[in-house]
Amino acid sequence: MELYSYFRSSASFRVRIALALKSLPYDYRTVHLVRNEQTGPAFAAVSPQRLVPLLKDGEATLTQSMAIIEYLDEVYPEPPLMPADPLGRARVRSLSQDIACEIHPLDNLRVLRYLVKELGASEDAKNAWYRHWVEVGLEVVERQLSEQPATGTFCHGDTPTMADCLLVPQIFNAQRFDCRLDHVPTVMRIFENCMRLPAFLAAQPSACPDADA
Amino acid sequence: MELYSYFRSSASFRVRIALALKSLPYDYRTVHLVRNEQTGPAFAAVSPQRLVPLLKDGEATLTQSMAIIEYLDEVYPEPPLMPADPLGRARVRSLSQDIACEIHPLDNLRVLRYLVKELGASEDAKNAWYRHWVEVGLEVVERQLSEQPATGTFCHGDTPTMADCLLVPQIFNAQRFDCRLDHVPTVMRIFENCMRLPAFLAAQPSACPDADA
């Protein structure tokens, strides 16, 4: 397998965690987002979206982090990252989408660039925007994790699922932008449980071959 | 079943299409987004996210439109809205996420409100923002639909899938905000094929019980 990734891309980080949890080896292909390599001809020839992550598995090209993780779980089922029951799967997908559809899209690099370039947002206004969506969005995740009995050591039960693959990179982003996190204690408890596992440590940005020195 | 919906919510529209394609009856519960009913105490008691759509199926409460559609497909499998093979499922999920994670979150009502209230964006700047993300995002979808042989009468093959449930509401939004659509002919061909089916017509905003007169 080949993973097109950027160390700081949290969508790439999600897939790196899933690959590590399943002990699947892969070649790491760097797409440097800050240098705009995702829109350059080399990557465009591979990727219809011009977005990382992109996974090549034999002849197959897979895009979108949650779709990639579910594919990996279907084709390489051990250990499972999705619950065995439809309601459990729905809960894990919903928690994942609370992050992937409600928080992360608003704080993407290209969105932050638009705020500054097209709307003239100041550095302070841009950072306030970033923190707003993270803090409000994580509150929604916290409410579910703290109130629903299916929560365990991890987001759903006592083994990591796709939801944990989404949660951890979002917390890395939150910490990098000094977001408030004291209002989400269950989220942070689960984050810490994840970060005790070798797979999460091996997938983190600082462990990537393209990490800044 | 009970569906908490708002006629103009495109995430609700996605689920209404899936329910209609499967001929599943449900009670329609209006959550009036423009009057902020989603943050009021009545809906908050039901919904951890304070977002529509929310589906109640017996004792189960389901949230996030793509998670709801996949749940419906697993529990009420006929007609299927997901392909039978892992690569097909990955493609349908990826196309769906290209809309649900890259386009729609940026044009949500709460985001548009933040642009105006917190960043002082003018009406023109707000509309330019809206159109920008729709036009750029649909171009990505077009590239895949026009280049990949799995595309058929619909996004994936010749029967509707989850991807069509996501595509159609996004086009309704695009038309409402006068977005450019002449650069996405395959998208528009599939949109028109969908809108010939009774299920898509029955689910559209103007057919909802809470539609504006």
Side-chain angles (χ1 to χ4, degrees), chain B residues 29-49:
Chain B
R29 304 268 181 258
T30 300
V31 182
H32 200 300
L33 299 192
V34 177
R35 289 188 206 133
N36 291 317
E37 284 181 4
Q38 74 280 14
T39 53
F43 188 58
V46 181
S47 163
Q49 277 106 336

Short mmCIF file of all heavy atoms in Angstrom, two decimals, chain B residues 29-49:
data_model
loop_
_atom_site.label_atom_id
_atom_site.label_comp_id
_atom_site.label_asym_id
_atom_site.label_seq_id
_atom_site.Cartn_x
_atom_site.Cartn_y
_atom_site.Cartn_z
N ARG B 29 -41.41 15.53 12.12
CA ARG B 29 -41.38 16.49 13.25
C ARG B 29 -40.57 17.70 12.79
O ARG B 29 -39.37 17.58 12.53
CB ARG B 29 -40.68 15.86 14.46
CG ARG B 29 -41.28 14.55 14.92
CD ARG B 29 -42.34 14.78 15.99
NE ARG B 29 -42.90 13.53 16.44
CZ ARG B 29 -44.10 13.04 16.04
NH1 ARG B 29 -44.84 13.70 15.15
NH2 ARG B 29 -44.54 11.90 16.53
N THR B 30 -41.20 18.83 12.73
CA THR B 30 -40.53 20.04 12.26
C THR B 30 -39.63 20.65 13.35
O THR B 30 -40.07 20.82 14.49
CB THR B 30 -41.56 21.10 11.85
OG1 THR B 30 -42.36 20.56 10.80
CG2 THR B 30 -40.88 22.38 11.39
N VAL B 31 -38.41 20.96 12.97
CA VAL B 31 -37.52 21.76 13.82
C VAL B 31 -37.16 23.00 12.98
O VAL B 31 -36.42 22.91 12.01
CB VAL B 31 -36.25 20.97 14.20
CG1 VAL B 31 -35.37 21.80 15.13
CG2 VAL B 31 -36.62 19.65 14.86
N HIS B 32 -37.74 24.13 13.35
CA HIS B 32 -37.63 25.33 12.51
C HIS B 32 -36.28 26.01 12.75
O HIS B 32 -36.07 26.69 13.75
CB HIS B 32 -38.78 26.28 12.83
CG HIS B 32 -39.04 27.28 11.74
ND1 HIS B 32 -38.10 28.18 11.32
CD2 HIS B 32 -40.12 27.49 10.95
CE1 HIS B 32 -38.60 28.92 10.34
NE2 HIS B 32 -39.83 28.51 10.09
N LEU B 33 -35.36 25.80 11.81
CA LEU B 33 -33.98 26.28 12.02
C LEU B 33 -33.88 27.80 12.03
O LEU B 33 -33.08 28.36 12.78
CB LEU B 33 -33.05 25.72 10.94
CG LEU B 33 -32.91 24.20 10.83
CD1 LEU B 33 -31.74 23.87 9.91
CD2 LEU B 33 -32.72 23.54 12.18
N VAL B 34 -34.66 28.45 11.19
CA VAL B 34 -34.54 29.91 11.12
C VAL B 34 -35.05 30.54 12.43
O VAL B 34 -34.56 31.58 12.85
CB VAL B 34 -35.25 30.45 9.86
CG1 VAL B 34 -35.21 31.97 9.81
CG2 VAL B 34 -34.58 29.88 8.61
N ARG B 35 -35.99 29.87 13.09
CA ARG B 35 -36.45 30.33 14.42
C ARG B 35 -35.60 29.75 15.55
O ARG B 35 -35.98 29.83 16.73
CB ARG B 35 -37.91 29.91 14.63
CG ARG B 35 -38.89 30.66 13.77
CD ARG B 35 -40.33 30.31 14.18
NE ARG B 35 -41.24 30.51 13.06
CZ ARG B 35 -42.17 29.63 12.66
NH1 ARG B 35 -42.36 28.50 13.33
NH2 ARG B 35 -42.94 29.89 11.62
N ASN B 36 -34.50 29.08 15.20
CA ASN B 36 -33.56 28.52 16.20
C ASN B 36 -34.17 27.45 17.09
O ASN B 36 -33.72 27.26 18.22
CB ASN B 36 -32.97 29.64 17.06
CG ASN B 36 -32.03 30.51 16.26
OD1 ASN B 36 -31.22 30.01 15.49
ND2 ASN B 36 -32.16 31.81 16.41
N GLU B 37 -35.17 26.75 16.59
CA GLU B 37 -35.77 25.70 17.43
C GLU B 37 -34.78 24.57 17.74
O GLU B 37 -34.98 23.84 18.70
CB GLU B 37 -37.03 25.12 16.75
CG GLU B 37 -38.22 26.05 16.84
CD GLU B 37 -39.48 25.49 16.19
OE1 GLU B 37 -39.47 24.34 15.72
OE2 GLU B 37 -40.48 26.23 16.14
N GLN B 38 -33.71 24.47 16.92
CA GLN B 38 -32.75 23.38 17.17
C GLN B 38 -31.98 23.57 18.46
O GLN B 38 -31.47 22.61 19.03
CB GLN B 38 -31.81 23.19 15.97
CG GLN B 38 -30.74 24.24 15.79
CD GLN B 38 -31.28 25.52 15.13
OE1 GLN B 38 -32.48 25.73 15.03
NE2 GLN B 38 -30.36 26.38 14.71
N THR B 39 -31.91 24.80 18.96
CA THR B 39 -31.21 25.01 20.23
C THR B 39 -32.18 25.20 21.41
O THR B 39 -31.75 25.42 22.54
CB THR B 39 -30.28 26.25 20.15
OG1 THR B 39 -31.05 27.36 19.69
CG2 THR B 39 -29.13 26.02 19.19
N GLY B 40 -33.46 25.09 21.15
CA GLY B 40 -34.46 25.24 22.21
C GLY B 40 -34.55 23.99 23.08
O GLY B 40 -34.06 22.93 22.70
N PRO B 41 -35.20 24.11 24.25
CA PRO B 41 -35.23 22.99 25.21
C PRO B 41 -35.96 21.75 24.68
O PRO B 41 -35.55 20.63 25.00
CB PRO B 41 -35.94 23.58 26.43
CG PRO B 41 -36.63 24.82 25.95
CD PRO B 41 -35.86 25.31 24.78
N ALA B 42 -36.99 21.92 23.87
CA ALA B 42 -37.75 20.75 23.40
C ALA B 42 -36.88 19.84 22.56
O ALA B 42 -36.83 18.62 22.77
CB ALA B 42 -38.99 21.20 22.61
N PHE B 43 -36.14 20.43 21.62
CA PHE B 43 -35.31 19.60 20.75
C PHE B 43 -34.04 19.16 21.47
O PHE B 43 -33.55 18.04 21.27
CB PHE B 43 -34.97 20.34 19.45
CG PHE B 43 -34.27 19.49 18.42
CD1 PHE B 43 -34.86 18.31 17.95
CD2 PHE B 43 -33.03 19.84 17.92
CE1 PHE B 43 -34.21 17.51 17.01
CE2 PHE B 43 -32.38 19.04 16.97
CZ PHE B 43 -32.97 17.88 16.52
N ALA B 44 -33.51 20.02 22.33
CA ALA B 44 -32.30 19.65 23.08
C ALA B 44 -32.52 18.41 23.92
O ALA B 44 -31.60 17.61 24.13
CB ALA B 44 -31.85 20.82 23.96
N ALA B 45 -33.75 18.20 24.39
CA ALA B 45 -34.05 17.02 25.20
C ALA B 45 -33.94 15.74 24.37
O ALA B 45 -33.73 14.65 24.91
CB ALA B 45 -35.46 17.14 25.79
N VAL B 46 -34.08 15.87 23.06
CA VAL B 46 -34.04 14.71 22.17
C VAL B 46 -32.65 14.55 21.54
O VAL B 46 -32.16 13.43 21.35
CB VAL B 46 -35.08 14.89 21.03
CG1 VAL B 46 -35.08 13.69 20.09
CG2 VAL B 46 -36.46 15.14 21.59
N SER B 47 -32.01 15.68 21.23
CA SER B 47 -30.83 15.66 20.37
C SER B 47 -29.57 16.13 21.06
O SER B 47 -29.48 17.30 21.47
CB SER B 47 -31.09 16.58 19.17
OG SER B 47 -29.87 16.89 18.54
N PRO B 48 -28.57 15.27 21.19
CA PRO B 48 -27.30 15.73 21.76
C PRO B 48 -26.58 16.75 20.88
O PRO B 48 -25.86 17.59 21.37
CB PRO B 48 -26.47 14.44 21.88
CG PRO B 48 -27.11 13.45 20.95
CD PRO B 48 -28.54 13.85 20.81
N GLN B 49 -26.79 16.68 19.57
CA GLN B 49 -26.07 17.57 18.65
C GLN B 49 -26.76 18.91 18.43
O GLN B 49 -26.14 19.84 17.95
CB GLN B 49 -25.90 16.93 17.26
CG GLN B 49 -24.73 15.99 17.14
CD GLN B 49 -25.20 14.56 17.09
OE1 GLN B 49 -26.29 14.25 17.60
NE2 GLN B 49 -24.42 13.69 16.53
#
